[in-house]
C-alpha cells in the first residue's frame, strides 16, 4: 500500500511538471546560439517542486543545457525503476541528476555534492563554453550573463562571480559566493573536472563549498576575473 501511495505521488508530481510553464521557445528564438552555457543548479528533494521548478520556469530552461543536482526522492526513484529508466537521472523537462555516491543531503556534505556534480558533468558534457553553478533560490538574469560573456575567452583560466573577501578564510583574490552562483570558463572547468575524475579528493574539503572550490581552483592557477561592466559596476547576472 505504501508503494502504491508513493507511486501515485510520483505520477502527480510528474503531472505537475507537464503542466508547468517552461520557456522552451527561448532557445529557438535566441540570437546567441553560438554561446553554449551549461547550468548546474543545486536543489534538494524538499525544494524540488517549489524552488527548483520556479527557477526552471523563469530562467533555468534558457540555459543551453542544465541539470538539477539533488538526491532523487524515493517516490520518483520508484517510478523510474518501475518504468525501466535510469535511477539516478530524471529526464527533461526536470533534468534531475543524482551524482554517483551522493546519497544524503546535508550542509556539511555540500562540498562533496558540488565536486561530485562537477566531476560527472565534466565526464558527460564537455562541449560547452561556460559552466555556471547556482542555487535554486537565486535568480539568474540570463540575458545579462550572455551579454557579459560575449567578449570573454572561454579558454582563459578565469572564473566570475560575486567576490567575498574574508579575513578569516584568507585566499588570494578572495572567492565567489556559492549561493548566487559563479561562472567557470570551459578551460577552467575542464582542468578541475579532469582532476576530480582522477581523484575526487583532489580538492580540500572543509565543508564550506564556495571557499573549498576556490581554493581548489588556486591549486590549478585559476583566478577570479573582474566581474564588472564597462562602467566599473558589478555585473547584474543574478539577484538574490
Amino acid at each position: 500500500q505504501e508503494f502504491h501511495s508513493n507511486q501515485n505521488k510520483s505520477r502527480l508530481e510528474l503531472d505537475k511538471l507537464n503542466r508547468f510553464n517552461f520557456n522552451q521557445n527561448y532557445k529557438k528564438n535566441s540570437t546567441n546560439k553560438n554561446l553554449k552555457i551549461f547550468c548546474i543548479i543545486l536543489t534538494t528533494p524538499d525544494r524540488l517542486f517549489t524552488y527548483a521548478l520556479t527557477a526552471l520556469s523563469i530562467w533555468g530552461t534558457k540555459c543551453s543545457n542544465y541539470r538539477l543536482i539533488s538526491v532523487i526522492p524515493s517516490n520518483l526513484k520508484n517510478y523510474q525503476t518501475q518504468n525501466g529508466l535510469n535511477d539516478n537521472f530524471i529526464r527533461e523537462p526536470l533534468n534531475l541528476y543524482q551524482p554517483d555516491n551522493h546519497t544524503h543531503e546535508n550542509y556539511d556534505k555540500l562540498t562533496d555534492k558540488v565536486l561530485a556534480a562537477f566531476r560527472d558533468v565534466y565526464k558527460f558534457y564537455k562541449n560547452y563554453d561556460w559552466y555556471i553553478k547556482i542555487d535554486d533560490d537565486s535568480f539568474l538574469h540570463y540575458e545579462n550573463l550572455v551579454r557579459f560573456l560575449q567578449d570573454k575567452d572561454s579558454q582563459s583560466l578565469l572564473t566570475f562571480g560575486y567576490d567575498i573577501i574574508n579575513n578569516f578564510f584568507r585566499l588570494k583574490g578572495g572567492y565567489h559566493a556559492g549561493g548566487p552562483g559563479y561562472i567557470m570558463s570551459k578551460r577552467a572547468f575542464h582542468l578541475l573536472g579532469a582532476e576530480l575524475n582522477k581523484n575526487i579528493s583532489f580538492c580540500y574539503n572543509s565543508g564550506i563549498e564556495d571557499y573549498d572550490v576556490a581554493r581548489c581552483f588556486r591549486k590549478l592557477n585559476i583566478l577570479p576575473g573582474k566581474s564588472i561592466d564597462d562602467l566599473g559596476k558589478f555585473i547584474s547576472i543574478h539577484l538574490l
Side-chain angles (χ1 to χ4, degrees):
Q1 184 176 2
E2 181 180 354
F3 170 77
H4 289 296
S5 175
N6 286 338
Q7 190 176 43
N8 289 336
K9 183 179 179 183
S10 308
R11 295 182 189 279
L12 289 173
E13 290 178 335
L14 290 175
D15 285 342
K16 184 178 179 181
L17 288 180
N18 293 330
R19 295 194 303 270
F20 224 79
N21 180 28
F22 290 103
N23 188 359
Q24 298 290 2
N25 291 323
Y26 178 86
K27 294 173 191 174
K28 297 178 184 177
N29 300 325
S30 175
T31 58
N32 301 292
K33 294 179 181 179
N34 293 329
L35 192 64
K36 299 178 66 176
I37 302 174
F38 195 104
C39 297
I40 301 166
I41 308 167
L42 264 61
T43 188
T44 58
D46 60 329
R47 297 161 67 100
L48 183 57
F49 290 93
T50 52
Y51 287 92
L53 275 187
T54 301
L56 289 186
S57 69
I58 296 173
W59 57 264
T61 55
K62 294 180 179 181
C63 303
S64 306
N65 200 350
Y66 64 90
R67 289 294 179 270
L68 293 176
I69 305 298
S70 171
V71 167
I72 296 178
S74 59
N75 59 312
L76 291 185
K77 267 189 177 289
N78 289 336
Y79 180 82
Q80 291 288 90
T81 302
Q82 287 297 303
N83 287 274
L85 302 172
N86 189 328
D87 64 358
N88 73 333
F89 176 63
I90 304 287
R91 63 191 184 283
E92 288 185 331
L94 195 57
N95 274 358
L96 175 64
Y97 178 73
Q98 178 176 328
D100 290 341
N101 301 321
H102 175 62
T103 57
H104 297 89
E105 298 290 351
N106 187 305
Y107 186 79
D108 292 338
K109 297 291 184 180
L110 184 57
T111 297
D112 291 332
K113 177 180 180 177
V114 170
L115 295 178
F118 288 176
R119 176 198 63 199
D120 293 352
V121 168
Y122 165 76
K123 188 188 305 182
F124 298 113
Y125 305 102
K126 292 186 174 74
N127 194 27
Y128 290 84
D129 302 308
W130 299 92
Y131 297 80
I132 179 169
K133 175 268 170 188
I134 188 169
D135 287 358
D136 61 1
D137 57 355
S138 294
F139 171 76
L140 174 64
H141 197 307
Y142 191 78
E143 292 77 8
N144 280 7
L145 172 62
V146 170
R147 194 176 301 117
F148 173 74
L149 292 175
Q150 277 180 332
D151 63 349
K152 303 295 186 295
D153 182 5
S154 64
Q155 293 301 316
S156 62
L157 288 176
L158 291 176
T159 61
F160 300 98
Y162 181 77
D163 296 329
I164 296 176
I165 305 297
N166 190 312
N167 290 328
F168 183 76
F169 297 109
R170 293 185 180 276
L171 193 64
K172 181 180 179 181
Y175 58 94
H176 304 313
Y182 46 85
I183 309 156
M184 298 162 279
S185 72
K186 180 177 185 175
R187 188 179 175 199
F189 187 78
H190 280 202
L191 279 178
L192 178 59
E195 292 295 339
L196 292 174
N197 272 274
K198 294 176 190 174
N199 179 12
I200 193 63
S201 300
F202 172 76
C203 297
Y204 176 78
N205 187 346
S206 71
I208 304 172
E209 170 259 327
D210 39 17
Y211 170 76
D212 291 341
V213 171
R215 183 170 174 174
C216 200
F217 275 136
R218 299 303 176 274
K219 287 180 66 175
L220 297 168
N221 295 315
I222 298 167
L223 298 173
K226 293 184 178 180
S227 306
I228 56 175
D229 61 19
D230 294 338
L231 300 177
K233 296 181 179 179
F234 176 70
I235 54 171
S236 180
I237 60 170
H238 43 54
L239 299 170
L240 290 178

